[in-house]
């Protein structure tokens, strides 16, 4: 599904990712952990196509296509979804209006007919139940005045609507109460069941109790310095990153 | 001094005195402005003497006035002697004979706005064929309005058919000598509309579709007068979202509104004059004086404007809150792209007790556009318990444009409550990316964010107009990012 090779990325002349390689298969769930500022969000943003990142080298292949060559909206149409660490507020734009535009743009891209208002609403009603979000949120401005948890829940709702083949959840579990956490996990698990892939960026073992990852990676020094199964996350939880940084430092 | 103009003017003046009406169908006055031109214009419309006197007085005062230079706009000096103050409507043979002869770019915009073909022809100035019978459409509306006693006609007609009514109100809100451009307009106005809504009548339609057809006659020095008698209501729509062809660079219109006791006037404008090319060449200068008077208890005047066109816009729709409990509102979206400059805002003058006003201004600057909000809230001594709420938001796209806010507040009564909020934001790269990540193309994302920013204003527009205005904003911003 996704193949990242030797990716090197700089922001404002400062190298953040330095030779990162990662491969994600269909239907797999990968967790990426790592210290603050290690470049996890940078990686997610580069995959999604955000401006302001300078790709110095390496490749990102998605379903056999060179992802770095595509506009962000085309990546979205191809099935890349990013649940933002800090979802932005857009005053005056109704949540549901943005979603409808986005969904129909993707359908046009795939050569499918646009959903009319009725079918769209039907789909919305079905998906909003999954994330247990009140319908009033549909008509409020995108994320405006939403609580931290509500914003995250809204991201998961959008993910459920757009049914991406690759979801990047950037700390979607941070700041969530336990019920919301289960909903996020439910969203991730149902995608996995449909052979869709998920990348979970997280600091906590907690979420991984509900979505059990196939792989856990540690991002530090701009690279994946350690990979393992779910037990790696447990070890990180218990011991922190110190031991990894030491061994990575020694190796370098 | 251009002697030929003088001679022509003298001649016309004399003919008028002798009771002749010249057939000037194909005439155009040579450039230049003096008293004889003013006399010519008045005679040409067979105006009553009081109008001529009024024009002449305005002209004399105008000659002593200086062009204002306080606005935040820059342009080469205008040569008022280089303008022709009268040109007869173009004859059919001089117009484009079909849409094939019209600038394809213009047609593209019409298509994007979804304007019907026949209407496109009319807007582009194509000699229309018999199929498109705008006259009969207009007549249907006229009948409907006449039934309830609403008068809606060209100002020149009203001056002849309803001289007393017009005389009572003309210049009563915007005096002839109010400012440089208003004085010029008063001297040489040639087109315009008159509306009178009788007591207790709710005008049975938005004065819109009708106007759209009529708008073709929109002149360089337009003058509009709307009078809503006690307890009446009217919603008036000016302009058109479609860019109109116009050869006149300078537009100096005057709009006067009078709302008597318990009456309400809602005046909406969508202005989309040619803004000039990307270097700002050839755009229209739009210097407009718009003012309304709430001349009775609980009268209400509401201005809503969407300004996307013109090279330079200079305009401050204002309300004089004379009657106790009267209400003034101003909702504005002003967009400047490329080299456009806009200096716009409002004045709310609280005179009566318990008067209230609301100002919502949204300025959008892109390219090298310069956008200034200039607003005055004035509470006079006698205006007990006056209230005002102002909100001025600016949105910047790119880093070569500018937004400027000049709020002035003068309060002479201590019971006044004035609230002012202002914000300036850049169209967020993060907002754009968020939308694109959800699948929107960049231009759709811009359009969605900008329309969201303007929502409070758009919802004041009549439905159909609001939809058009949204599309218009999107089109005006094409290529503004990326
Ligand atoms: N636009 C930017 N300008 C300057 N520095 C940046 C920018 N974006 C990211 N960085 C820097 O790049 C580094 C990686 O940031 P990133 O947000 O990817 O970290 P992260 O691993 O997601 O951290 P966290 O766990 O705190 O979310 C940080 O040092 C950050 O300050
Ligand atoms: Mg992060």
């Amino acid at each position: 599904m996704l193949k990242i090779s030797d990716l090197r990325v700089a922001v404002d002349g400062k190298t953040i990712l330095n030779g990162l390689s990662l491969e994600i298969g269909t239907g797999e769930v990968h967790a990426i952990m790592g210290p603050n500022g290690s470049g996890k969000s940078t990686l997610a943003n580069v995959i999604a196509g955000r401006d302001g990142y300078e790709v110095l080298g390496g490749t990102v292949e998605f379903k056999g296509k060179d992802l770095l060559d595509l506009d962000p909206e085309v990546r979205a149409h191809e099935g890349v979804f990013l649940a933002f660490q800090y979802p932005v507020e857009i005053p005056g734009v109704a949540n549901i209006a943005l979603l409808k535009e986005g969904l129909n743009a993707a359908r046009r891209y795939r050569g499918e007919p646009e959903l009319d208002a009725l079918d769209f609403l039907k789909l919305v009603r079905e998906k909003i139940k999954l994330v247990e979000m009140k319908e009033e949120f549909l008509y409020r401005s995108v994320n405006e005045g939403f609580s931290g948890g509500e914003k995250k829940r809204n991201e998961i709702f959008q993910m459920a609507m757009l049914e991406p083949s690759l979801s990047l959840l950037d700390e979607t579990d941070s700041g969530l109460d336990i019920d919301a956490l289960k909903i996020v996990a439910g969203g991730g698990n149902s995608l996995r069941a449909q052979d869709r892939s998920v990348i979970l960026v997280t600091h906590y073992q907690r979420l991984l109790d509900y979505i059990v990852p196939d792989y856990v990676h540690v991002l530090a020094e701009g690279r994946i310095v350690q990979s393992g199964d779910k037990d790696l996350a447990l070890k990180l939880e218990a011991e922190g990153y110190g031991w990894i940084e030491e061994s990575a430092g020694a190796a370098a | 001094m251009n002697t030929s103009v003088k001679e022509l003017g003298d001649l016309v003046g004399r003919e008028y005195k002798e009771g002749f009406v010249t057939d000037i169908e194909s005439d155009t006055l040579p450039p230049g402005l003096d008293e004889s031109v003013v006399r010519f214009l008045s005679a040409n419309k067979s105006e009553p003497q009081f109008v001529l006197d009024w024009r002449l007085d305005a002209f004399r005062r105008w000659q002593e006035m200086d062009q204002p230079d306080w606005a935040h706009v820059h342009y080469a000096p205008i040569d008022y002697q280089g303008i022709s103050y009268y040109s007869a409507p173009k004859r059919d043979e001089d117009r484009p004979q079909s849409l094939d002869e019209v600038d394809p770019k213009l047609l593209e915009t019409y298509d994007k706005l979804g304007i019907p073909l026949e209407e496109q022809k009319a807007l582009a100035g194509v000699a229309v064929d018999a199929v498109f019978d705008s006259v009969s459409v207009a007549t249907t509306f006229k009948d409907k309005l006449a039934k309830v006693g609403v008068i809606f006609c060209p100002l020149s007609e009203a001056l002849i058919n309803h001289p007393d009514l017009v005389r009572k109100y003309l210049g009563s809100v915007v005096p002839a000598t109010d400012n440089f451009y208003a004085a010029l307009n008063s001297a040489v106005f040639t087109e315009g509309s008159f509306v009178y809504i009788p007591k207790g009548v709710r005008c049975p339609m938005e004065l819109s579709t009708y106007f759209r057809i009529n708008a073709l006659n929109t002149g360089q020095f337009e003058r509009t007068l709307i009078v809503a008698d006690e307890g009446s209501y009217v919603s008036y729509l000016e302009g058109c979202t479609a860019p109109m062809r116009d050869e006149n660079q300078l537009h100096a219109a005057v709009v006067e509104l009078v709302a008597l006791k318990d009456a309400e006037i809602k005046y909406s404008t969508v202005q989309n004059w040619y803004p000039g090319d990307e270097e700002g060449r050839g755009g229209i200068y739009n210097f407009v004086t718009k003012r309304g008077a709430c001349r009775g208890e609980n009268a209400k005047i509401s201005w809503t404007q969407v300004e996307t066109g013109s090279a330079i816009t200079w305009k401050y729709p204002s309300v004089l809150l004379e009657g106790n409990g009267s209400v003034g509102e101003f909702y504005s979206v002003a967009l400047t792209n490329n080299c456009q400059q806009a200096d716009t805002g409002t004045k709310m003058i609280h005179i009566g007790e318990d008067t209230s006003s609301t100002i919502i201004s949204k300025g959008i600057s892109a390219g090298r556009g310069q956008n200034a909000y200039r607003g005055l809230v004035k509470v006079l001594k006698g205006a007990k318990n006056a209230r005002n709420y102002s909100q001025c938001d600016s949105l910047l796209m790119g880093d070569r444009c500018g937004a400027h806010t000049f709020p002035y507040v003068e309060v002479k009564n201590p019971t006044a409550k004035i609230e002012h909020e202002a914000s300036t934001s850049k169209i967020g790269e993060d907002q754009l990316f968020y939308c694109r990540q959800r699948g929107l193309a960049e231009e759709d994302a811009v359009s969605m964010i900008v329309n969201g920013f303007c929502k409070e204003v758009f919802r004041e527009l009549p439905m159909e107009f609001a939809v058009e205005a949204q599309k218009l904003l999107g089109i005006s911003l094409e290529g503004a990012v990326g």
Side-chain angles (χ1 to χ4, degrees), chain A residues 11-12 14 16 34-43 53 85-86 170-171 203:
Chain A
V11 179
D12 285 344
K14 181 179 144 203
I16 311 285
N36 291 133
S38 58
K40 302 180 298 296
S41 295
T42 302
L43 175 64
Y53 296 90
Q85 182 172 6
Y86 305 108
D170 191 359
E171 296 197 31
H203 285 294

Side-chain angles (χ1 to χ4, degrees), chain B residues 35-53:
Chain B
E35 217 176 282
S36 67
V37 171
V38 178
R39 286 179 188 279
F40 170 88
L41 294 171
S42 186
N44 184 33
K45 299 274 186 189
S46 313
E47 287 173 352
Q49 185 66 34
F50 85 89
V51 187
L52 176 62
D53 294 344

Side-chain angles (χ1 to χ4, degrees), chain B residues 37-294:
Chain B
V37 171
V38 178
R39 286 179 188 279
F40 170 88
L41 294 171
S42 186
N44 184 33
K45 299 274 186 189
S46 313
E47 287 173 352
Q49 185 66 34
F50 85 89
V51 187
L52 176 62
D53 294 344
W54 190 71
R55 283 179 183 271
L56 288 173
D57 185 48
F59 177 68
R60 282 170 204 137
R61 306 278 206 97
W62 175 76
Q63 285 178 303
E64 291 156 17
M65 296 167 97
D66 291 319
Q67 193 166 297
D69 59 3
W70 43 263
H72 196 90
V73 294
H74 306 276
Y75 53 93
I78 296 169
D79 176 13
Y80 294 94
Q81 297 302 334
I83 297 172
S84 166
Y85 290 83
Y86 177 82
S87 70
K90 271 197 178 171
R91 282 172 302 176
D92 278 358
E93 0 8 320
D94 299 334
R95 298 157 160 236
Q97 295 303 304
S98 78
L99 282 176
D100 298 340
E101 292 173 38
V102 174
D103 180 3
K105 249 194 149 152
L106 198 65
L107 296 180
E108 203 180 301
T109 309
Y110 290 157
D111 277 340
K112 284 182 189 160
L113 286 166
I115 296 186
L117 212 61
E118 291 308 327
E119 220 168 308
Q120 291 192 12
K121 286 187 192 168
L123 288 166
V126 172
V128 283
D129 52 49
V131 181
F132 181 60
D133 190 357
S134 66
V135 179
S136 74
V137 180
T139 313
T140 319
F141 286 129
K142 264 201 164 138
D143 286 349
K144 206 166 156 189
L145 291 175
K147 251 186 210 137
V148 288
V150 169
I151 302 170
F152 183 23
C153 63
L155 185 59
S156 54
E157 236 176 271
L159 284 167
I160 292 164
N161 298 335
H162 313 280
D164 295 338
L165 198 54
V166 179
R167 188 174 195 167
K168 187 166 168 192
Y169 295 105
L170 188 72
S172 77
V173 187
V174 180
T177 52
D178 186 77
N179 66 67
F180 184 83
Y181 302 115
L184 177 62
N185 175 289
S186 303
V188 302
F189 71 90
T190 41
E191 309 283 352
S193 306
F194 175 71
V195 176
Y196 173 77
I197 316 289
K199 265 187 199 170
V201 168
R202 201 181 158 86
C203 188
M205 68 177 103
E206 311 249 3
L207 298 181
S208 68
T209 318
Y210 178 91
F211 190 86
R212 209 151 131 163
I213 293 159
N214 255 26
L216 301 176
N217 306 322
T218 302
Q220 191 174 9
F221 300 102
E222 222 188 333
R223 190 154 187 124
T224 304
L225 173 61
I226 300 178
V227 180
D229 212 327
E230 293 182 10
S232 68
Y233 169 86
V234 62
S235 167
Y236 188 91
L237 309 182
E238 174 206 332
C240 172
T241 49
M244 270 185 280
R245 262 167 53 106
D246 198 303
E247 272 107 46
N248 302 312
Q249 185 166 43
L250 173 68
H251 280 245
V254 170
V255 176
E256 294 181 279
L257 310 181
V258 180
L260 300 182
K261 186 170 176 289
D262 296 319
E264 178 175 351
I265 301 176
K266 206 170 156 50
Y267 192 105
S268 314
T269 307
V270 172
Q271 184 271 119
N272 188 22
W273 298 108
Y274 183 54
D277 64 14
E278 277 168 26
E279 295 305 315
R281 280 179 300 245
I284 286 185
Y285 297 174
N286 192 26
F287 302 144
V288 186
T289 307
K290 289 184 164 176
R291 194 175 304 152
C294 288

